[in-house]
Amino acid sequence: MAIDLTLEPELVELRDRTAEFVRAAVLLAEAEMLSGAGTPDDSLRRRLQQAARDAGVFAPTVAKELGGLGLDMRALSVILEQAGYSLLGPLALHCAAPDEGNMLLLERVADPGQRDRFLKPLAAGDVRSCFAMTEPAPGADSDPSQLATTARRATGGWVLQGRKWFITGADGAAFAIVMTRTGTDAEPAATMFLVPTDTPGFRLVRHIPSLDQGLTGGHCEIELDGCEVGDDAVLGEAGKGFAYAQVRLAPARLTHCMRWLGLARRAQDLALGYAAERTAFGSRLGELGMVQQQLADNEIDLAASRALVREAAWVLDQGSSGKHESSVAKTFTTEAVGRIVDRAVQVCGALGISADLPLSAYLREVRPFRIYDGPSETHRWSIARRALRAVATKESNR
Ligand SMILES: Cc1cc2nc3c(=O)[nH]c(=O)nc-3n(C[C@H](O)[C@H](O)[C@H](O)COP(=O)(O)OP(=O)(O)OC[C@H]3O[C@@H](n4cnc5c(N)ncnc54)[C@H](O)[C@@H]3O)c2cc1C
């Protein structure tokens, strides 16, 4: 089937309305945030989300019956790019990580009771959540099969034991989706649990100071020490944790690309504005060849990233896992977005480095994207192995 990238009139209208909302209501809040603490607090989140509800752009990833816009991945690639035009846009539209990926996972896997208790308040923006997979050494890192946090059967439920870190949004989250080891060494398996953060034995150890600061609730270290939960805390079925992680990961890494692409577009717009105004050596900066080259390379990186993201989104909409396409799009876009923001800083000179423009904050915020949702190296590793397997299969079929 050929990829159809035509945007229907309703999607164009929603795109333009989202763009208008972000420019009118969110960019100002971003400037205020960056001149203050640099991290959005919960009152700012609630205020922006109410404004998004009023503008009819709230929760684009969430199903209509839960109060969202119920868009498919292809439409999301258009809308989330607009949301990402400001660091606060995804938060305002309620499509920021980690809640966005968690809502998708819960929509696909949670049972009716879990939908009522966890998904509904999350989808409504009444609470926040976090996703707890990564662990300090020797636990789960780029290699999730090293999962060390255990869930042991006990009367009427389970006891969780272990430590997690770099858990985004954990401070202030109402609940965590916790990935645990439940299989044996011979037959490793994983199980996900829905754990309210006020459960005895669930402890927020610390905020981990980090380069990026743009997400509510920080990146935290968490301890699970004899944390007892009932059978109803098992998300989906016990033993299927690795399969559920895949349900979340491919779409979540793509939605990250969509949002960061919007921020890269904004960086390029700032660079274009500066190059069109500022003069040096008797001409506008934008008339100098080497400045033009940077602006052109940014346009090329934007267009190439968008094409890869839209293709991967379309593949997911066709019901495929999109593992390969999302890996390709993620690797290219993370690196392209970094290049675009870096070139924008260069074009804007000293002003680019200053806090008078948001570019230095963008530089900080986009860098970690080459590490989370799989470092570039692990994606390249899988892309290469898949390509080599395809050659081997062709040869053995000859
Ligand atoms: C900003 C941010 C937010 C995060 N939020 C969350 C969260 O909410 N929940 C959560 O569970 N985790 C979260 N993480 C953790 C994230 O998932 C991990 O950082 C990621 O899986 C990589 O694991 P690691 O950092 O332990 O790197 P390691 O596994 O220690 O790898 C270190 C480096 O080794 C190289 N490397 C690894 N594997 C290979 C390979 N196969 N081939 C070649 N080189 C390789 C890469 O360069 C990699 O960067 C977050 C991380 C960041 C930076």
Side-chain angles (χ1 to χ4, degrees), residues 214 268 272 301:
Q268 167 74 340
L272 286 168
D301 270 339

Side-chain angles (χ1 to χ4, degrees), residues 104-120:
L104 177 131
L105 180 61
L106 292 176
E107 272 192 45
R108 298 213 181 148
V109 177
D111 67 27
Q114 293 169 339
R115 284 174 77 88
D116 284 346
R117 186 172 171 204
F118 296 100
L119 177 57
K120 283 187 180 166

Side-chain angles (χ1 to χ4, degrees), residues 98 130-135 140-143 165-169 210 212 219 368 370-375 377-378 381:
C130 61
F131 184 79
M133 164 106 102
T134 309
E135 300 165 341
D141 51 10
S142 305
D143 179 3
W165 72 356
F166 293 100
I167 307 310
T168 304
S210 64
D212 63 321
H219 307 302
R370 279 165 52 197
I371 294 172
Y372 58 77
D373 280 355
E377 291 78 7
T378 58
W381 188 45

Side-chain angles (χ1 to χ4, degrees), residues 18-38 40 44 47-48 51 83 85-89 92 263 266 270 355-358 362:
T18 306
E20 172 56 26
F21 170 73
V22 171
R23 280 158 183 75
V26 185
L27 283 180
L28 186 64
E30 179 196 87
E32 284 168 9
M33 180 192 79
L34 290 175
S35 67
L44 177 61
R47 177 164 64 80
L48 288 173
Y85 198 73
S86 161
L87 274 179
L88 289 175
L263 205 73
R266 169 125 162 93
L270 289 167
D356 285 5
L357 287 183
Y362 292 178

Side-chain angles (χ1 to χ4, degrees), residues 51-69:
R53 268 185 214 98
D54 296 343
V57 296
F58 183 70
T61 68
V62 173
K64 284 189 178 158
E65 63 268 24
L66 289 164
L69 303 181

Side-chain angles (χ1 to χ4, degrees), residues 242-297:
F242 288 130
Y244 296 155
Q246 290 307 321
V247 168
R248 186 183 187 281
L249 286 181
R253 70 171 70 112
L254 262 193
T255 51
H256 268 307
C257 292
M258 297 167 190
R259 293 182 290 256
W260 287 129
L261 205 48
L263 205 73
R265 178 72 250 171
R266 169 125 162 93
Q268 167 74 340
D269 286 351
L270 289 167
L272 286 168
Y274 189 82
E277 290 294 321
R278 182 84 161 160
T279 55
F281 306 104
S283 68
R284 306 255 180 219
L285 285 181
E287 287 158 21
L288 299 171
M290 277 188 272
V291 172
Q292 289 179 345
Q293 182 172 359
Q294 297 191 71
L295 296 173
D297 285 348

